[in-house]
Amino acid sequence: MRVTIRQVAAAAGVSTATVSRVLAGTQAVSPELAERVRQTAASLGYRPNVLAQGLARGRSGVVGVLVPNLANPYFNDTIKALMHSAERDGYRVIVADSDERRENELPLGESLLRWSDGLVLVASRAAPTALRRLVGAHKPVVAVNHKPKPEIDEFVHISVNAYTPMRELCRHLVREGHRRIVYLSGPRTSWQSQERWRAVRSARRWGASVSSVPCGGTIEEGYAAAEGALGEEPSAVMAFNDLAAFGFLSRCGELGLRVPEDLSLTGFDDIPFAQFTSPPLTTVRSPLADVGVAAWQAMRRLLDGERRVLGMMLPSEMVIRSSTAPPRSMLGGSEPDKTTPTT
Amino acid sequence: MRVTIRQVAAAAGVSTATVSRVLAGTQAVSPELAERVRQTAASLGYRPNVLAQGLARGRSGVVGVLVPNLANPYFNDTIKALMHSAERDGYRVIVADSDERRENELPLGESLLRWSDGLVLVASRAAPTALRRLVGAHKPVVAVNHKPKPEIDEFVHISVNAYTPMRELCRHLVREGHRRIVYLSGPRTSWQSQERWRAVRSARRWGASVSSVPCGGTIEEGYAAAEGALGEEPSAVMAFNDLAAFGFLSRCGELGLRVPEDLSLTGFDDIPFAQFTSPPLTTVRSPLADVGVAAWQAMRRLLDGERRVLGMMLPSEMVIRSSTAPPRSMLGGSEPDKTTPTT
DNA sequence: TTGTATGCGTTATCAA
DNA sequence: TTGATAACGCATACAA
C-alpha cells in the first residue's frame, strides 16, 4: 500500500492534521515543524491520495471537457490550451468525445460531471432540455462556441465572432468580382455554421447571389459535397471550415479544376495545415488557443465561487492567401477593373 | 448537496449496505427488496459518488494516457479508440500532453498515476530511469510504440511493425528505379523513427544510396527540412510521417518542384488527409484505431489482475498512391529533361 | 500553534 | 439474505 498521511505524521512525530496543514499550506505552522514535516514527507515519498482529498474537500480537482470529435484538429489546439491552463492551476482534465452525435452529449456530460467539478462543452449541439439537465447538476458549465440561449442563462459563453470576419471575407470576394457564391454548410445543429451562413447571406446586399449546399465539417464531407456544389456553377466556394475546404480542394484537383484560376475557395479556422495546402488557403483565423485559455479562466473563476462571470466573444480575422483570386470572367472578358492598364 | 446512499436506504427502508449491494450487483439480494431499492434510487435520481467509491474500492476507475502531442492527428484516432473502449468498460480517461519534451513525461506520468489505476504511454521518449519510476508505482503501465527495453520488462508493449512495410516501400522505390533516397528523420528520441530509418538503410542492399536528414514529425518541420534534403539531390524522399511529408510537399510546390514527376515522396501513418493531398500520398497505413483498442485490452487485463499479459506487434501495410513514380532518369533515359527545348 | 475527533460517501467484513 | 459498522485517506471544526 502507498504511504499515507498517518505514516508521515508518525515518522515526524506530529498529528495528521499538522501534516495536512503543512502540505496544503492552509494554515500557519511553526517553521521548524513545517520543515520537519516536509522532510519526512519527502523522504517517505508521500503523495496525498487525490480521491481521499476530493472526498474530504468536496471537490475533485478535475474538470470535464466534451467535444464533438477529438479527431478534428480544430479542437486540438483549444483542448491543449485549456488542458495546460488547467494543469498550471493543479487541475486535471478528463475528456469525452460525442462522435458528432447530439444524443451522446447528455449521457457523456452527466458522466463527466460525476468525476469533475465543472464541465466545458465545446461546440455543443445538445438540445435545450439536455443542457438544462447538465446545468441542473449545480456545477459550473462553460460553453464554447455554442449558441447563446436566453432561456438557459446559467452557463458562461466563450465564443468566436465568426460573423464579422466571414462577412468581411464575402465583401473581399465580391470586390474581386465574384457574383456567384456557394456556402458549404457545416453540421446542421452547429451554431457556428449558422453564424457563418448568416454572414454569407449578407453578401446579397453587395449584389452577389449566394446559396448553401449541405456539407459538413470533415475532409470526407468536403470531398463528397464538391460535385453538388459545382453544379451551382459558383465562381467562389466558401466552406464551413478548413477541413471541408481541403476535401473540396482535393476533389477539384481530381476534376481538373484549378484553384484559384477556375474557382476561388475559402475555409475557416486556419488550422495549422491551412497555409500548407496547394494553394495556401484563404481562411479566417480562429484564436483556437485563446479560446481554450479563456474557457479555463472562466471555469476557474466559477470554481472559485465567483458569482457573475462574464462570457467573451473573441475576435477572429480574415487571412487572404492564394486560394482566392478574381474570377476568370474578370480576367478575360471586357477587362472590367483595369488595375494594370496604364493607358 | 447531492443525494447519498444513506438517503436512498432510508427512503427504501433498508440499510446502506443493501443499497450498495443492489446497485453494484456484488451480492445476491432478494428480488422484491432489490426492485424496491432500484425504484427509490431511480426516483431520487441517486448517483453514487465516484470519489467515495474509489476510496472504498481502492481503485478510481480512471486510466491515464500520456501523449507527446495532442495536436498531432496521428494520436487522435488512437486516443479516440482507446477512450471509447475504456468507456464501454466503465472507465474514464484522463489525458496529458508532454509537448514533445521528454523531461515532461515523468512528472506528468506521475501526476496521471495519482488519479488513475493505470497508465498508457504513447510513443514515449522517456529515459529508462523515468520509466522505472513510473513502473515503480505498482500500477499497470502499457507502452504504445515504445522501444522495448529488456532491462525494464514490467510494462506491456503494443507496437506497430514499421520496419517491414517501410522496407517494402523502399523495395518498391528501388524497383521503380530510385537510387538516391533521403529519409527525413523524426524526433531523435522516437523509437519508431529509428525503426523506420533502419528499414530505409536496408535499401542499400538493393543498390540504393540512402542518407538521413534531421527533420521531425510536424508539418512545419517537414517544410523547413525541404531545402536541406533537396541539397542531397534525391530522386525519392521518405518522410518520417505524413505530416512531415505534407510540409515537405508544400515547400516543393513553392520551389516549383513537381511530385512525383521531379521527385517521389512517401509518408507514414496514413492519417485521414493523406489521401486528399495533391497528389495523394504514398504512405504506410498504421492501424491507429486498432492500436488504441489493443492498448485498452491489455490495460483492462492488467487491471483485472492477470499476471502474464502479452504485448502485441500490429502489422501495417504499404499504400501506393500517386506521390511516387519512376524517376525522370528512367523515363527519359538519354534524353534527360527535354520537355520544352525543341531546338 | 498543535492535537483530537468527526465527517466526506461507499464498500466490505462480520454477525445475526 | 440483511444489517451494523469499521475501514478507505484526508480535511477541518473545535478544543487545548
Side-chain angles (χ1 to χ4, degrees):
Chain A
M1 192 83 286
R2 275 243 306 260
V3 31
T4 75
I5 199 174
R6 228 185 303 267
Q7 308 178 34
V8 177
V14 298
S15 71
T16 62
T18 299
V19 177
S20 173
R21 287 192 274 250
V22 170
L23 267 41
T26 89
Q27 245 185 69
V29 174
S30 79
E32 318 87 77
L33 254 194
E35 190 47 30
R36 180 145 53 98
V37 168
R38 257 186 287 273
Q39 293 279 338
T40 57
S43 73
L44 292 178
Y46 169 67
R47 293 281 170 211
N49 178 320
V50 289
L51 265 49
Q53 278 185 322
L55 188 56
R57 289 178 170 152
R59 53 199 178 74
S60 63
V62 171
V63 293
V65 178
L66 181 56
V67 297
N69 181 13
L70 238 193
N72 186 337
Y74 171 77
F75 298 115
N76 290 330
D77 288 336
T78 302
I79 295 178
K80 217 174 146 163
L82 176 60
M83 198 156 62
H84 283 149
S85 301
E87 239 163 47
R88 269 191 286 280
D89 285 344
Y91 278 80
R92 287 254 66 105
V93 168
I94 58 180
V95 13
D97 173 325
S98 65
D99 267 328
E100 301 276 9
R101 302 179 56 194
R102 69 186 299 179
E103 65 271 26
N104 284 344
E105 289 199 24
L106 179 56
L108 284 174
E110 286 183 321
S111 170
L112 289 176
L113 277 174
R114 291 185 58 195
W115 295 95
S116 57
D117 300 333
L119 181 62
V120 178
L121 295 173
V122 180
S124 167
R125 284 101 196 217
T129 58
L131 291 175
R132 204 168 275 123
R133 295 199 51 175
L134 256 19
V135 170
H138 299 297
K139 292 183 179 178
V141 176
V142 171
V144 172
N145 280 345
H146 181 274
K147 180 178 189 171
K149 299 263 181 199
E151 67 271 27
I152 314 174
D153 203 47
E154 290 163 359
F155 50 78
V156 174
H157 286 277
I158 306 294
S159 303
V160 170
N161 178 356
Y163 180 79
T164 305
M166 194 69 168
R167 182 173 151 158
E168 201 184 345
L169 191 50
C170 289
R171 184 93 180 101
H172 172 77
L173 289 174
V174 171
R175 283 211 172 111
E176 282 193 318
H178 294 276
R179 291 293 176 272
R180 185 86 198 85
I181 299 176
V182 164
Y183 174 64
L184 301 179
S185 68
R188 274 181 308 286
T189 45
S190 159
W191 170 67
Q192 279 281 321
S193 181
Q194 292 164 21
E195 283 292 285
R196 295 171 198 177
W197 168 231
R198 191 162 68 84
V200 175
R201 277 201 314 256
S202 76
R204 283 178 181 149
R205 86 182 56 182
W206 326 123
S209 93
V210 306
S211 61
S212 170
V213 169
C215 176
T218 65
I219 297 179
E220 289 77 9
E221 288 168 314
Y223 181 93
E227 293 192 74
L230 292 170
E232 311 253 329
E233 302 192 342
S235 70
V237 169
M238 305 184 78
F240 164 65
N241 65 10
D242 292 341
L243 288 182
F246 185 63
F248 184 90
L249 181 64
S250 167
R251 185 68 179 130
C252 284
E254 290 180 4
L255 297 173
L257 272 171
R258 287 169 312 162
V259 172
E261 292 82 354
D262 301 325
L263 187 73
S264 284
L265 176 65
T266 70
F268 199 108
D269 289 342
D270 196 25
I271 57 180
F273 78 59
Q275 59 181 302
F276 293 104
T277 56
S278 303
L281 202 59
T282 290
T283 185
V284 172
R285 179 175 303 134
S286 247
L288 301 180
D290 294 346
V291 167
V293 172
W296 171 250
Q297 285 174 341
M299 176 56 78
R300 180 62 207 265
R301 289 178 163 184
L302 290 168
L303 291 172
D304 287 348
E306 271 187 47
R307 284 312 287 160
R308 290 299 302 169
V309 175
L310 297 173
M312 293 185 67
M313 177 79 103
L314 298 171
S316 56
E317 55 178 12
M318 179 172 77
V319 179
I320 306 295
R321 297 209 181 92
S322 322
S323 68
T324 48
R328 265 230 287 269
S329 59
M330 300 295 286
L331 297 171
S334 49
E335 299 185 18
D337 12 26
K338 327 235 168 178
T339 46
T340 28
T342 332
T343 332
Chain B
M1 195 82 282
R2 277 242 307 262
V3 31
T4 75
I5 200 174
R6 228 185 302 268
Q7 307 178 34
V8 177
V14 297
S15 72
T16 61
T18 299
V19 177
S20 174
R21 286 192 275 250
V22 170
L23 268 39
T26 87
Q27 242 185 74
V29 174
S30 79
E32 318 88 78
L33 253 194
E35 189 48 30
R36 180 146 52 97
V37 167
R38 258 186 286 272
Q39 293 279 338
T40 57
S43 72
L44 292 178
Y46 169 67
R47 293 282 171 210
N49 178 320
V50 288
L51 265 48
Q53 280 185 320
L55 187 56
R57 289 176 170 155
R59 52 199 179 73
S60 64
V62 171
V63 293
V65 178
L66 181 57
V67 297
N69 180 12
L70 198 68
N72 186 336
Y74 170 77
F75 299 115
N76 291 331
D77 288 336
T78 302
I79 295 178
K80 218 175 145 163
L82 175 60
M83 199 157 63
H84 284 150
S85 301
E87 239 163 47
R88 268 190 287 280
D89 285 344
Y91 278 79
R92 285 253 69 102
V93 168
I94 57 180
V95 12
D97 172 324
S98 66
D99 267 328
E100 301 275 10
R101 302 179 57 193
R102 69 186 300 181
E103 65 271 26
N104 284 345
E105 289 198 24
L106 179 56
L108 284 175
E110 285 184 321
S111 170
L112 289 176
L113 276 174
R114 293 185 57 195
W115 295 97
S116 56
D117 300 332
L119 181 62
V120 178
L121 295 173
V122 180
S124 167
R125 283 105 194 213
T129 57
L131 292 174
R132 203 168 277 124
R133 295 199 50 173
L134 256 20
V135 170
H138 299 296
K139 292 183 178 176
V141 176
V142 172
V144 173
N145 280 346
H146 181 273
K147 180 176 189 173
K149 299 264 180 197
E151 67 272 26
I152 316 174
D153 204 47
E154 291 163 359
F155 49 78
V156 175
H157 285 276
I158 306 294
S159 302
V160 171
N161 178 355
Y163 181 80
T164 305
M166 194 68 170
R167 183 173 149 156
E168 202 185 345
L169 191 50
C170 289
R171 184 96 181 99
H172 171 79
L173 290 174
V174 170
R175 282 209 172 113
E176 280 193 320
H178 294 277
R179 291 293 175 274
R180 185 85 198 85
I181 299 177
V182 164
Y183 173 64
L184 301 180
S185 68
R188 274 181 308 284
T189 45
S190 159
W191 171 66
Q192 279 282 320
S193 181
Q194 293 163 21
E195 283 292 286
R196 294 172 199 177
W197 168 232
R198 191 164 66 86
V200 175
R201 277 200 315 255
S202 76
R204 283 178 181 151
R205 86 183 57 182
W206 325 122
S209 93
V210 307
S211 61
S212 169
V213 169
C215 175
T218 65
I219 297 179
E220 290 77 8
E221 288 168 314
Y223 181 93
E227 293 191 74
L230 292 171
E232 313 252 329
E233 302 193 341
S235 70
V237 169
M238 305 186 76
F240 164 65
N241 65 10
D242 292 342
L243 287 183
F246 185 64
F248 184 90
L249 181 64
S250 166
R251 186 67 179 131
C252 283
E254 290 180 4
L255 297 172
L257 273 171
R258 287 168 310 162
V259 172
E261 292 83 353
D262 302 324
L263 187 73
S264 283
L265 176 65
T266 70
F268 199 107
D269 290 342
D270 197 25
I271 57 180
F273 78 58
Q275 59 181 300
F276 294 104
T277 55
S278 303
L281 202 59
T282 290
T283 186
V284 172
R285 179 174 302 134
S286 246
L288 301 180
D290 294 346
V291 167
V293 172
W296 171 249
Q297 286 174 340
M299 177 55 78
R300 180 62 208 264
R301 289 177 162 184
L302 290 168
L303 290 172
D304 287 348
E306 272 187 45
R307 284 311 288 159
R308 288 301 301 168
V309 175
L310 296 174
M312 293 185 67
M313 177 78 104
L314 299 170
S316 56
E317 56 178 12
M318 178 172 77
V319 180
I320 307 295
R321 297 210 180 90
S322 322
S323 68
T324 48
R328 265 229 288 265
S329 58
M330 300 296 286
L331 298 172
S334 51
E335 298 176 21
D337 2 33
K338 324 236 167 185
T339 46
T340 30
T342 331
T343 331

